[in-house]
Coordinates of all heavy atoms in Angstrom, one line a residue:
M1 N 0.8 -1.2 0.0 CA 0.0 0.0 0.0 C 0.9 1.2 0.0 O 1.6 1.5 1.0 CB -0.9 -0.1 1.2 CG -1.2 1.2 2.0 SD -2.1 1.0 3.5 CE -2.5 -0.7 3.7
P2 N 0.9 2.0 -1.1 CA 1.7 3.2 -1.2 C 1.2 4.2 -0.2 O 0.1 4.3 0.1 CB 1.6 3.6 -2.6 CG 1.0 2.5 -3.3 CD 0.3 1.7 -2.4
Q3 N 2.2 5.1 0.3 CA 1.9 6.2 1.1 C 2.3 7.5 0.3 O 3.5 7.5 0.0 CB 2.7 6.1 2.4 CG 2.5 4.8 3.2 CD 1.2 4.8 3.9 OE1 0.7 5.8 4.4 NE2 0.6 3.6 4.1
A4 N 1.4 8.4 0.1 CA 1.8 9.6 -0.6 C 1.6 10.8 0.3 O 0.5 11.0 0.8 CB 0.9 9.8 -1.9
D5 N 2.7 11.6 0.5 CA 2.6 12.8 1.3 C 2.9 14.0 0.4 O 4.0 14.1 -0.2 CB 3.6 12.7 2.5 CG 3.1 11.8 3.6 OD1 2.1 12.2 4.3 OD2 3.7 10.7 3.8
L6 N 1.9 14.8 0.3 CA 2.0 16.0 -0.6 C 2.0 17.2 0.2 O 1.0 17.6 0.8 CB 0.7 15.9 -1.6 CG 0.6 17.0 -2.6 CD1 1.8 16.8 -3.6 CD2 -0.7 16.9 -3.4
S7 N 3.2 17.8 0.3 CA 3.3 19.1 1.0 C 3.4 20.2 0.0 O 4.0 20.1 -1.1 CB 4.6 19.1 1.8 OG 4.6 18.1 2.7
Y8 N 2.7 21.4 0.3 CA 2.7 22.5 -0.7 C 2.6 23.8 0.1 O 2.0 23.8 1.2 CB 1.6 22.3 -1.7 CG 0.2 22.2 -1.2 CD1 -0.6 23.3 -1.1 CD2 -0.3 21.0 -0.7 CE1 -1.8 23.3 -0.6 CE2 -1.6 21.0 -0.1 CZ -2.3 22.1 -0.1 OH -3.6 22.1 0.4
S9 N 3.1 24.8 -0.5 CA 2.9 26.2 0.1 C 1.5 26.5 0.1 O 0.8 26.5 -1.0 CB 3.7 27.2 -0.8 OG 5.1 26.8 -0.9
A10 N 1.0 26.9 1.2 CA -0.5 27.1 1.4 C -1.0 28.3 0.6 O -2.2 28.4 0.3 CB -0.8 27.4 2.9
D11 N -0.1 29.2 0.1 CA -0.5 30.3 -0.7 C -0.8 30.0 -2.1 O -1.3 30.8 -2.9 CB 0.5 31.5 -0.6 CG 1.8 31.1 -1.2 OD1 2.2 29.9 -1.1 OD2 2.5 32.0 -1.7
L12 N -0.5 28.8 -2.5 CA -0.7 28.4 -3.9 C -2.2 28.1 -4.2 O -2.9 27.6 -3.4 CB 0.1 27.1 -4.3 CG 1.6 27.3 -4.2 CD1 2.3 25.9 -4.4 CD2 2.1 28.3 -5.2
D13 N -2.6 28.4 -5.5 CA -3.9 28.0 -6.0 C -3.7 26.6 -6.5 O -3.3 26.4 -7.7 CB -4.3 29.0 -7.1 CG -5.7 28.6 -7.7 OD1 -6.4 27.9 -7.0 OD2 -6.0 29.1 -8.8
F14 N -3.9 25.6 -5.7 CA -3.6 24.2 -6.0 C -4.7 23.3 -5.4 O -5.0 23.4 -4.3 CB -2.2 23.9 -5.4 CG -1.7 22.5 -5.5 CD1 -1.4 22.0 -6.8 CD2 -1.6 21.7 -4.4 CE1 -1.0 20.7 -7.0 CE2 -1.1 20.4 -4.6 CZ -0.8 19.9 -5.9
D15 N -5.2 22.4 -6.3 CA -6.2 21.5 -5.9 C -5.6 20.2 -5.4 O -5.4 19.3 -6.2 CB -7.2 21.2 -7.1 CG -8.4 20.4 -6.7 OD1 -8.4 19.8 -5.6 OD2 -9.3 20.3 -7.5
A16 N -5.3 20.1 -4.1 CA -4.6 19.0 -3.6 C -5.4 17.7 -3.7 O -4.8 16.6 -3.9 CB -4.2 19.2 -2.1
A17 N -6.7 17.8 -3.5 CA -7.6 16.5 -3.6 C -7.5 15.9 -5.0 O -7.4 14.7 -5.1 CB -9.0 16.9 -3.2
H18 N -7.6 16.8 -6.0 CA -7.4 16.3 -7.3 C -6.1 15.7 -7.6 O -5.9 14.7 -8.2 CB -7.7 17.4 -8.3 CG -7.6 17.1 -9.8 ND1 -8.3 16.1 -10.4 CD2 -6.7 17.5 -10.7 CE1 -7.9 16.0 -11.6 NE2 -6.9 16.8 -11.8
A19 N -5.0 16.4 -7.1 CA -3.7 15.9 -7.2 C -3.5 14.5 -6.6 O -2.9 13.6 -7.2 CB -2.7 16.9 -6.6
L20 N -4.1 14.3 -5.4 CA -4.0 13.0 -4.7 C -4.7 11.9 -5.5 O -4.2 10.8 -5.6 CB -4.5 13.0 -3.3 CG -3.7 13.8 -2.3 CD1 -4.5 13.9 -1.0 CD2 -2.4 13.1 -2.1
D21 N -5.8 12.2 -6.1 CA -6.5 11.2 -7.0 C -5.6 10.9 -8.2 O -5.5 9.7 -8.6 CB -7.8 11.8 -7.5 CG -8.9 11.8 -6.5 OD1 -8.8 11.0 -5.5 OD2 -9.9 12.6 -6.6
M22 N -5.0 11.9 -8.8 CA -4.1 11.7 -9.9 C -2.9 10.8 -9.5 O -2.5 9.9 -10.3 CB -3.7 13.0 -10.5 CG -2.7 12.9 -11.7 SD -2.3 14.4 -12.4 CE -3.8 14.9 -13.2
I23 N -2.3 11.1 -8.4 CA -1.2 10.4 -7.9 C -1.5 8.9 -7.8 O -0.7 8.1 -8.2 CB -0.7 11.0 -6.6 CG1 0.0 12.4 -6.8 CG2 0.3 10.1 -5.9 CD1 0.1 13.2 -5.6
E24 N -2.6 8.6 -7.2 CA -3.0 7.2 -7.0 C -3.2 6.5 -8.4 O -2.8 5.4 -8.6 CB -4.3 7.1 -6.2 CG -4.7 5.6 -6.0 CD -5.9 5.5 -5.0 OE1 -6.9 6.2 -5.1 OE2 -5.8 4.6 -4.1
G25 N -3.8 7.2 -9.3 CA -4.0 6.7 -10.6 C -2.7 6.4 -11.3 O -2.5 5.4 -12.0
I26 N -1.8 7.3 -11.2 CA -0.5 7.1 -11.8 C 0.3 6.0 -11.2 O 0.9 5.2 -11.9 CB 0.4 8.4 -11.8 CG1 -0.3 9.5 -12.7 CG2 1.8 8.2 -12.1 CD1 0.3 10.9 -12.5
I27 N 0.2 5.9 -9.9 CA 0.9 4.7 -9.2 C 0.3 3.4 -9.7 O 1.0 2.5 -10.1 CB 0.8 4.9 -7.7 CG1 1.7 6.0 -7.2 CG2 1.2 3.6 -7.0 CD1 1.4 6.4 -5.8
H28 N -1.0 3.3 -9.8 CA -1.7 2.1 -10.2 C -1.4 1.8 -11.7 O -1.3 0.6 -12.1 CB -3.2 2.2 -10.0 CG -3.6 2.0 -8.6 ND1 -4.7 2.5 -8.1 CD2 -2.9 1.4 -7.5 CE1 -4.8 2.2 -6.8 NE2 -3.7 1.6 -6.4
S29 N -1.3 2.8 -12.5 CA -1.1 2.6 -14.0 C 0.4 2.1 -14.2 O 0.6 1.3 -15.1 CB -1.4 3.8 -14.8 OG -0.5 4.8 -14.6
T30 N 1.3 2.6 -13.3 CA 2.7 2.2 -13.5 C 2.9 0.8 -12.8 O 3.7 0.0 -13.3 CB 3.6 3.2 -12.8 OG1 3.3 4.5 -13.3 CG2 5.1 3.0 -13.0
D31 N 2.3 0.6 -11.7 CA 2.4 -0.7 -10.9 C 1.1 -1.2 -10.5 O 0.6 -0.9 -9.4 CB 3.3 -0.4 -9.7 CG 3.6 -1.7 -8.9 OD1 3.1 -2.8 -9.3 OD2 4.3 -1.6 -7.9
P32 N 0.4 -1.9 -11.4 CA -1.0 -2.4 -11.1 C -1.1 -3.3 -9.8 O -2.1 -3.4 -9.3 CB -1.3 -3.2 -12.3 CG -0.5 -2.7 -13.4 CD 0.8 -2.3 -12.7
S33 N 0.1 -3.8 -9.3 CA 0.0 -4.6 -8.1 C 0.0 -3.8 -6.8 O -0.2 -4.3 -5.7 CB 1.2 -5.6 -8.1 OG 2.4 -4.8 -7.8
S34 N 0.2 -2.5 -7.0 CA 0.1 -1.6 -5.8 C -1.3 -1.5 -5.2 O -2.3 -1.6 -6.0 CB 0.6 -0.2 -6.1 OG -0.2 0.4 -7.0
G35 N -1.4 -1.5 -3.9 CA -2.7 -1.4 -3.3 C -3.2 0.0 -3.3 O -2.7 0.9 -4.0
A36 N -4.3 0.2 -2.5 CA -4.8 1.6 -2.3 C -3.7 2.5 -1.8 O -3.0 2.2 -0.9 CB -6.0 1.6 -1.3
C37 N -3.7 3.7 -2.4 CA -2.7 4.7 -1.9 C -3.2 5.5 -0.8 O -4.3 6.1 -0.9 CB -2.3 5.6 -3.1 SG -1.1 6.8 -2.7
K38 N -2.5 5.6 0.3 CA -2.9 6.4 1.4 C -2.3 7.7 1.2 O -1.1 8.0 1.5 CB -2.4 5.7 2.7 CG -2.9 4.3 3.0 CD -4.4 4.2 2.9 CE -4.9 2.8 3.2 NZ -6.2 2.6 2.8
G39 N -3.1 8.7 0.7 CA -2.6 10.0 0.4 C -3.0 11.0 1.4 O -4.1 11.0 2.0
R40 N -2.1 11.9 1.7 CA -2.3 13.0 2.6 C -1.8 14.3 2.0 O -0.7 14.3 1.4 CB -1.6 12.7 3.9 CG -2.1 11.5 4.7 CD -1.2 11.1 5.8 NE 0.1 10.6 5.3 CZ 0.2 9.3 4.9 NH1 -0.8 8.4 5.0 NH2 1.4 8.8 4.5
A41 N -2.5 15.4 2.1 CA -2.1 16.7 1.7 C -1.7 17.5 2.9 O -2.5 17.6 3.8 CB -3.1 17.3 0.8
H42 N -0.6 18.2 2.8 CA -0.2 19.1 3.9 C 0.1 20.5 3.4 O 1.2 20.8 2.9 CB 1.1 18.5 4.5 CG 1.1 17.1 4.8 ND1 0.5 16.6 6.0 CD2 1.5 16.0 4.1 CE1 0.7 15.3 6.0 NE2 1.2 14.9 4.9
P43 N -0.9 21.4 3.5 CA -0.6 22.8 3.2 C 0.3 23.4 4.3 O 0.1 23.2 5.5 CB -2.0 23.5 3.2 CG -2.9 22.6 4.0 CD -2.3 21.2 4.0
I44 N 1.4 24.0 3.8 CA 2.4 24.6 4.7 C 2.3 26.1 4.7 O 2.4 26.7 3.7 CB 3.8 24.1 4.3 CG1 3.9 22.6 4.1 CG2 4.8 24.6 5.3 CD1 3.6 21.8 5.3
A45 N 2.0 26.6 5.9 CA 1.8 28.1 6.0 C 3.0 28.9 5.8 O 3.0 30.0 5.2 CB 1.1 28.4 7.3
V46 N 4.1 28.4 6.3 CA 5.4 29.2 6.2 C 6.4 28.4 5.4 O 6.8 27.3 5.7 CB 6.0 29.4 7.7 CG1 7.3 30.1 7.6 CG2 5.0 30.1 8.6
T47 N 6.7 29.0 4.2 CA 7.6 28.4 3.3 C 8.6 29.5 2.8 O 8.2 30.7 2.8 CB 6.9 27.7 2.1 OG1 6.2 28.7 1.4 CG2 6.0 26.6 2.6
H48 N 9.7 29.1 2.3 CA 10.6 30.0 1.6 C 10.5 29.6 0.1 O 11.0 28.6 -0.3 CB 12.0 29.8 2.2 CG 13.0 30.7 1.5 ND1 13.0 32.0 1.8 CD2 14.0 30.5 0.7 CE1 14.0 32.6 1.1 NE2 14.6 31.7 0.4
N49 N 9.9 30.5 -0.7 CA 9.7 30.2 -2.1 C 8.5 29.2 -2.2 O 8.5 28.2 -1.5 CB 10.9 29.8 -2.9 CG 12.0 30.8 -2.8 OD1 11.8 32.0 -3.0 ND2 13.2 30.4 -2.5
S50 N 7.6 29.5 -3.1 CA 6.5 28.6 -3.3 C 6.9 27.3 -4.0 O 7.7 27.3 -5.0 CB 5.4 29.2 -4.1 OG 4.8 30.3 -3.4
H51 N 6.5 26.2 -3.4 CA 6.9 24.9 -4.0 C 5.9 23.8 -3.6 O 5.1 24.0 -2.7 CB 8.3 24.5 -3.6 CG 8.5 24.3 -2.1 ND1 8.6 25.4 -1.2 CD2 8.6 23.2 -1.3 CE1 8.7 24.9 0.0 NE2 8.7 23.6 0.0
I52 N 6.1 22.7 -4.2 CA 5.3 21.5 -3.9 C 6.3 20.3 -3.8 O 7.2 20.2 -4.7 CB 4.3 21.2 -5.1 CG1 3.3 22.3 -5.1 CG2 3.6 19.8 -4.8 CD1 2.3 22.3 -6.3
L53 N 6.1 19.5 -2.8 CA 6.9 18.3 -2.6 C 6.1 17.1 -2.4 O 5.2 17.1 -1.5 CB 7.8 18.5 -1.3 CG 8.6 17.3 -0.8 CD1 9.6 16.8 -1.9 CD2 9.3 17.6 0.5
L54 N 6.3 16.1 -3.3 CA 5.6 14.8 -3.2 C 6.6 13.8 -2.8 O 7.6 13.6 -3.4 CB 4.9 14.5 -4.5 CG 4.4 13.0 -4.6 CD1 3.2 12.8 -3.6 CD2 3.9 12.7 -6.0
K55 N 6.3 13.1 -1.7 CA 7.1 11.9 -1.3 C 6.1 10.7 -1.3 O 5.1 10.7 -0.6 CB 7.6 12.1 0.1 CG 8.7 13.1 0.2 CD 9.3 13.1 1.6 CE 10.5 14.2 1.7 NZ 11.1 14.1 3.0
V56 N 6.6 9.7 -2.1 CA 5.8 8.4 -2.1 C 6.6 7.3 -1.6 O 7.8 7.1 -2.0 CB 5.4 8.1 -3.6 CG1 4.6 6.8 -3.7 CG2 4.5 9.2 -4.2
H57 N 6.1 6.6 -0.6 CA 6.8 5.5 0.0 C 6.1 4.2 -0.4 O 4.8 4.1 -0.4 CB 6.7 5.6 1.5 CG 7.6 6.7 2.0 ND1 7.2 8.0 2.1 CD2 8.8 6.7 2.6 CE1 8.1 8.7 2.6 NE2 9.2 8.0 2.9
L58 N 6.8 3.2 -0.9 CA 6.3 1.9 -1.3 C 7.1 0.8 -0.6 O 8.2 1.0 -0.2 CB 6.5 1.8 -2.8 CG 5.9 2.9 -3.7 CD1 6.9 3.5 -4.5 CD2 4.8 2.3 -4.6
L59 N 6.4 -0.4 -0.6 CA 7.1 -1.5 -0.1 C 8.2 -2.0 -1.2 O 7.9 -1.9 -2.4 CB 6.2 -2.7 0.2 CG 5.2 -2.5 1.3 CD1 4.2 -3.6 1.3 CD2 6.0 -2.5 2.6
K60 N 9.3 -2.4 -0.7 CA 10.3 -2.9 -1.6 C 9.9 -4.3 -2.1 O 9.6 -5.2 -1.3 CB 11.7 -3.0 -0.9 CG 12.8 -3.6 -1.7 CD 13.3 -2.6 -2.8 CE 14.5 -3.1 -3.5 NZ 14.6 -2.5 -4.8
K61 N 9.8 -4.5 -3.4 CA 9.4 -5.7 -4.0 C 10.3 -6.0 -5.2 O 10.8 -5.0 -5.8 CB 7.9 -5.7 -4.5 CG 7.0 -5.6 -3.3 CD 5.6 -5.9 -3.6 CE 4.7 -5.8 -2.3 NZ 3.4 -6.2 -2.6
P62 N 10.5 -7.2 -5.6 CA 11.5 -7.5 -6.7 C 11.1 -6.8 -8.0 O 12.1 -6.4 -8.7 CB 11.3 -9.0 -6.8 CG 10.9 -9.5 -5.5 CD 10.0 -8.4 -5.0
H63 N 9.9 -6.6 -8.3 CA 9.6 -6.0 -9.6 C 9.7 -4.5 -9.6 O 9.8 -3.8 -10.6 CB 8.1 -6.4 -10.0 CG 7.1 -5.7 -9.2 ND1 6.7 -6.1 -8.0 CD2 6.3 -4.6 -9.5 CE1 5.7 -5.3 -7.5 NE2 5.5 -4.4 -8.4
R64 N 9.9 -3.9 -8.4 CA 10.1 -2.5 -8.3 C 11.6 -2.1 -8.5 O 12.2 -1.7 -7.5 CB 9.5 -1.9 -7.0 CG 8.0 -2.0 -7.0 CD 7.4 -1.4 -5.8 NE 5.9 -1.5 -5.9 CZ 5.1 -1.8 -4.9 NH1 5.6 -1.9 -3.6 NH2 3.8 -1.9 -5.0
D65 N 12.1 -2.3 -9.7 CA 13.5 -2.1 -10.0 C 13.7 -0.6 -10.4 O 12.7 0.2 -10.4 CB 14.0 -3.1 -11.0 CG 13.2 -3.0 -12.3 OD1 12.3 -2.0 -12.5 OD2 13.4 -3.8 -13.2
D66 N 14.9 -0.3 -10.7 CA 15.2 1.1 -11.1 C 14.4 1.6 -12.2 O 13.9 2.7 -12.3 CB 16.7 1.2 -11.4 CG 17.6 1.2 -10.2 OD1 17.1 1.1 -9.0 OD2 18.8 1.1 -10.3
A67 N 14.2 0.7 -13.2 CA 13.4 1.1 -14.4 C 12.0 1.5 -14.1 O 11.5 2.5 -14.5 CB 13.5 0.0 -15.5
L68 N 11.3 0.6 -13.3 CA 9.9 0.9 -12.9 C 9.9 2.1 -12.0 O 9.0 3.0 -12.2 CB 9.3 -0.3 -12.2 CG 7.9 -0.1 -11.8 CD1 7.0 -1.2 -12.3 CD2 7.7 0.1 -10.3
M69 N 10.8 2.3 -11.1 CA 10.7 3.5 -10.2 C 11.0 4.8 -11.0 O 10.4 5.8 -10.7 CB 11.7 3.3 -9.0 CG 11.4 2.1 -8.1 SD 9.8 2.2 -7.4 CE 10.2 3.3 -6.1
N70 N 11.9 4.7 -11.9 CA 12.2 5.9 -12.7 C 11.0 6.2 -13.6 O 10.6 7.4 -13.8 CB 13.4 5.7 -13.6 CG 14.7 6.0 -12.8 OD1 14.8 6.9 -12.0 ND2 15.7 5.1 -12.9
Q71 N 10.3 5.2 -14.1 CA 9.1 5.4 -14.9 C 8.0 6.0 -14.1 O 7.3 7.0 -14.5 CB 8.7 4.1 -15.5 CG 7.4 4.1 -16.3 CD 6.9 2.8 -16.8 OE1 7.5 1.7 -16.4 NE2 5.7 2.8 -17.4
M72 N 7.8 5.5 -12.9 CA 6.8 6.1 -12.0 C 7.1 7.5 -11.6 O 6.2 8.4 -11.6 CB 6.7 5.2 -10.7 CG 5.6 5.7 -9.8 SD 5.5 4.7 -8.3 CE 5.0 3.1 -8.9
C73 N 8.4 7.8 -11.3 CA 8.8 9.2 -11.0 C 8.5 10.2 -12.1 O 7.9 11.2 -11.9 CB 10.2 9.2 -10.5 SG 10.7 10.7 -9.7
T74 N 8.9 9.8 -13.3 CA 8.7 10.6 -14.5 C 7.2 10.8 -14.7 O 6.7 11.9 -15.0 CB 9.3 10.0 -15.7 OG1 10.8 9.9 -15.5 CG2 9.1 10.8 -17.0
A75 N 6.4 9.7 -14.6 CA 4.9 9.8 -14.8 C 4.3 10.8 -13.8 O 3.4 11.5 -14.1 CB 4.3 8.5 -14.7
L76 N 4.8 10.7 -12.5 CA 4.2 11.6 -11.5 C 4.6 13.1 -11.8 O 3.7 14.0 -11.7 CB 4.8 11.2 -10.1 CG 4.2 9.9 -9.6 CD1 5.0 9.4 -8.4 CD2 2.7 10.1 -9.1
V77 N 5.8 13.3 -12.2 CA 6.2 14.7 -12.5 C 5.4 15.2 -13.7 O 4.8 16.3 -13.7 CB 7.7 14.8 -12.8 CG1 8.1 16.1 -13.5 CG2 8.5 14.6 -11.6
D78 N 5.3 14.4 -14.8 CA 4.5 14.8 -16.0 C 3.0 15.0 -15.7 O 2.4 15.9 -16.2 CB 4.7 13.7 -17.1 CG 6.1 13.6 -17.6 OD1 6.9 14.6 -17.4 OD2 6.4 12.7 -18.3
G79 N 2.5 14.1 -14.8 CA 1.1 14.3 -14.5 C 0.7 15.5 -13.6 O -0.3 16.1 -13.8
L80 N 1.6 15.8 -12.6 CA 1.4 16.9 -11.7 C 1.8 18.2 -12.3 O 1.2 19.2 -11.9 CB 2.2 16.6 -10.4 CG 1.6 15.5 -9.5 CD1 2.6 15.2 -8.4 CD2 0.3 15.9 -9.0
S81 N 2.7 18.3 -13.2 CA 3.2 19.6 -13.7 C 2.1 20.5 -14.2 O 2.1 21.7 -13.9 CB 4.3 19.3 -14.8 OG 5.4 18.8 -14.1
P82 N 1.1 20.0 -15.0 CA 0.1 20.9 -15.5 C -0.8 21.4 -14.4 O -1.5 22.4 -14.6 CB -0.7 20.0 -16.4 CG 0.1 18.9 -16.8 CD 1.0 18.6 -15.6
L83 N -0.8 20.8 -13.2 CA -1.7 21.3 -12.1 C -1.1 22.4 -11.2 O -1.8 23.0 -10.4 CB -2.0 20.1 -11.1 CG -2.6 18.9 -11.7 CD1 -2.9 17.8 -10.7 CD2 -3.9 19.2 -12.5
I84 N 0.2 22.6 -11.4 CA 0.9 23.6 -10.5 C 1.0 25.0 -11.2 O 1.1 25.1 -12.4 CB 2.3 23.1 -10.1 CG1 3.3 23.1 -11.2 CG2 2.2 21.8 -9.4 CD1 4.7 22.8 -10.8
P85 N 0.9 26.0 -10.4 CA 0.9 27.4 -10.9 C 2.3 27.6 -11.5 O 3.3 27.0 -11.1 CB 0.7 28.2 -9.7 CG 0.1 27.4 -8.7 CD 0.6 26.0 -8.9
P86 N 2.4 28.5 -12.5 CA 3.7 28.9 -13.1 C 4.7 29.3 -12.1 O 4.3 29.9 -11.1 CB 3.3 30.0 -14.1 CG 1.8 29.9 -14.3 CD 1.3 29.3 -13.1
T87 N 5.9 29.1 -12.4 CA 7.1 29.4 -11.5 C 7.1 28.7 -10.2 O 7.9 29.0 -9.3 CB 7.2 30.9 -11.3 OG1 6.2 31.4 -10.4 CG2 7.2 31.7 -12.6
T88 N 6.3 27.7 -10.0 CA 6.3 26.9 -8.8 C 7.2 25.7 -9.0 O 7.0 25.0 -10.0 CB 4.8 26.4 -8.4 OG1 4.0 27.6 -8.2 CG2 4.8 25.6 -7.1
T89 N 8.0 25.4 -8.1 CA 8.9 24.2 -8.2 C 8.2 23.0 -7.7 O 7.5 23.0 -6.6 CB 10.2 24.4 -7.3 OG1 10.8 25.6 -7.7 CG2 11.1 23.3 -7.4
L90 N 8.3 21.9 -8.4 CA 7.7 20.6 -8.1 C 8.9 19.7 -7.8 O 9.7 19.5 -8.7 CB 6.8 20.1 -9.2 CG 6.4 18.6 -9.1 CD1 5.5 18.4 -7.9 CD2 5.7 18.2 -10.4
N91 N 8.9 19.0 -6.7 CA 9.8 18.0 -6.4 C 9.1 16.7 -6.1 O 8.1 16.7 -5.4 CB 10.7 18.4 -5.1 CG 11.3 19.7 -5.3 OD1 10.8 20.7 -4.8 ND2 12.5 19.7 -6.0
V92 N 9.6 15.6 -6.6 CA 9.0 14.3 -6.4 C 10.1 13.3 -5.9 O 11.2 13.3 -6.5 CB 8.4 13.7 -7.7 CG1 7.9 12.3 -7.5 CG2 7.2 14.6 -8.1
E93 N 9.9 12.6 -4.8 CA 10.8 11.6 -4.3 C 10.1 10.3 -4.1 O 9.0 10.3 -3.4 CB 11.4 12.1 -3.0 CG 12.4 11.1 -2.4 CD 13.0 11.6 -1.0 OE1 12.4 12.5 -0.4 OE2 14.0 11.0 -0.6
L94 N 10.6 9.2 -4.6 CA 10.1 7.9 -4.3 C 11.0 7.2 -3.4 O 12.3 7.2 -3.5 CB 10.0 7.1 -5.6 CG 9.1 7.7 -6.7 CD1 9.1 6.7 -7.9 CD2 7.7 8.0 -6.2
C95 N 10.5 6.5 -2.3 CA 11.3 5.9 -1.3 C 10.7 4.5 -1.0 O 9.5 4.3 -1.3 CB 11.3 6.7 0.0 SG 11.7 8.4 -0.2
F96 N 11.5 3.6 -0.5 CA 11.0 2.4 0.0 C 10.8 2.4 1.5 O 11.6 3.0 2.3 CB 12.0 1.2 -0.4 CG 12.0 0.9 -1.8 CD1 13.2 1.2 -2.6 CD2 10.9 0.5 -2.5 CE1 13.2 0.9 -3.9 CE2 10.9 0.2 -3.8 CZ 12.0 0.4 -4.6
L97 N 9.7 1.8 1.9 CA 9.4 1.7 3.4 C 10.4 0.8 4.0 O 11.0 -0.1 3.4 CB 8.0 1.2 3.6 CG 6.9 2.1 3.1 CD1 5.6 1.3 2.9 CD2 6.7 3.2 4.1
S98 N 10.6 0.9 5.3 CA 11.4 0.1 6.1 C 10.9 -1.4 6.0 O 9.7 -1.6 6.0 CB 11.4 0.6 7.6 OG 11.8 -0.5 8.4
P99 N 11.8 -2.3 6.1 CA 11.3 -3.7 6.1 C 10.6 -4.1 7.4 O 9.9 -5.1 7.5 CB 12.6 -4.6 6.0 CG 13.7 -3.6 6.3 CD 13.3 -2.2 6.0
F100 N 10.6 -3.2 8.3 CA 9.9 -3.4 9.6 C 8.6 -2.6 9.6 O 8.0 -2.5 10.7 CB 10.8 -2.9 10.8 CG 12.1 -3.6 10.7 CD1 13.3 -2.9 10.4 CD2 12.2 -4.9 11.0 CE1 14.5 -3.5 10.3 CE2 13.5 -5.6 11.0 CZ 14.6 -4.9 10.6
Y101 N 8.1 -2.1 8.5 CA 6.9 -1.4 8.4 C 5.7 -2.4 8.5 O 5.8 -3.5 7.9 CB 6.8 -0.7 7.0 CG 5.5 0.0 6.7 CD1 5.1 1.2 7.2 CD2 4.5 -0.7 6.0 CE1 3.9 1.8 6.9 CE2 3.3 -0.1 5.7 CZ 3.0 1.1 6.2 OH 1.8 1.7 5.9
Q102 N 4.7 -2.0 9.3 CA 3.5 -2.9 9.4 C 2.3 -2.0 9.2 O 2.3 -0.8 9.5 CB 3.4 -3.5 10.7 CG 4.5 -4.6 10.9 CD 4.3 -5.3 12.3 OE1 3.2 -5.4 12.8 NE2 5.4 -5.8 12.8
S103 N 1.2 -2.5 8.6 CA 0.0 -1.8 8.5 C -1.2 -2.7 9.0 O -1.1 -3.9 8.8 CB -0.2 -1.5 7.0 OG -1.5 -0.9 6.8
N104 N -2.1 -2.1 9.6 CA -3.3 -2.9 10.2 C -4.5 -2.0 10.0 O -4.5 -0.8 10.2 CB -3.0 -3.1 11.7 CG -4.2 -3.9 12.3 OD1 -4.7 -4.8 11.6 ND2 -4.5 -3.6 13.5
Q105 N -5.5 -2.7 9.5 CA -6.8 -2.0 9.3 C -7.8 -2.6 10.3 O -8.1 -3.8 10.3 CB -7.3 -2.1 7.9 CG -8.5 -1.3 7.6 CD -8.9 -1.3 6.1 OE1 -8.2 -1.9 5.3 NE2 -9.9 -0.6 5.8
A106 N -8.4 -1.8 11.2 CA -9.3 -2.3 12.2 C -10.7 -2.4 11.6 O -11.1 -1.8 10.7 CB -9.3 -1.3 13.4

């Protein structure tokens, strides 16, 4: 189950809910075996220069090699870029969760 944390300067005209839907769709289209994406948007009131930072954490699996991860990263940048205001910096980071990560749904 991917975890997507989307931090952005609160002063931006940015539809974070739409972006989270798009992020989940891009992850699923790149890696259909991924589960539901747990997305969170974090508007940040105090920032230095307007920017957007997306961090996606995934479980390490054999098929998630460099090629797939680079493809996913590029697809996320390409998908999100049209949503951000001009002159806003977009940063995307893909990471693997710790092997000691656990998830439980009550």
